Amino acid sequence: MANIFKNAKLDLTTTDVTTLYTAPTAKVGIFRSILISNDSASNDTITLTLTNGSDVFSIYKTEAVNATTTKELLTQPLVINESEILKVTAATANRLHVVGSFLEIG
């Protein structure tokens, strides 16, 4: 199977836990970048988790994103294994945008 570069994008319009990426069956996603953009005039926070079945692992817990800035969350690649789910949660609705860039292998 081919290795494909992809991206996942979200406009966080709610404070609900929102899925950014689910690794498909027999595939692995290797995230190289997760950018968070705050387009409001107020500081905000974001939470990033990885779920594996019923287990939830915090990657970033209430990470600060300053007003009208963009922040790179990753300093090293993040591997998402088959069926794992990468989720994001904004503290405030309608402020944050998320763009994740990854290589899907399978």
Side-chain angles (χ1 to χ4, degrees), residues 3-87:
N3 298 336
I4 302 171
F5 286 99
K6 295 183 172 185
N7 64 49
K9 302 171 281 294
L10 290 174
D11 180 358
L12 298 176
T13 58
T14 72
T15 58
D16 296 339
V17 176
T18 306
T19 297
L20 178 63
Y21 176 74
T22 302
T25 302
K27 295 195 179 202
V28 172
I30 301 173
F31 275 75
R32 297 292 308 211
S33 174
I34 299 176
L35 293 170
I36 310 299
S37 175
N38 183 346
D39 64 2
S40 79
S42 300
N43 294 340
D44 212 332
T45 62
I46 191 164
T47 297
L48 185 70
T49 60
L50 182 64
T51 61
N52 181 358
S54 61
D55 296 325
V56 178
F57 301 92
S58 290
I59 297 171
Y60 284 95
K61 185 78 172 169
T62 60
E63 180 69 16
V65 183
N66 292 333
T68 64
T69 63
T70 299
K71 183 173 194 170
E72 172 61 63
L73 292 184
L74 298 182
T75 58
Q76 297 291 319
L78 175 63
V79 176
I80 312 296
N81 291 316
E82 174 183 359
S83 301
E84 291 182 331
I85 304 170
L86 185 61
K87 297 180 180 184

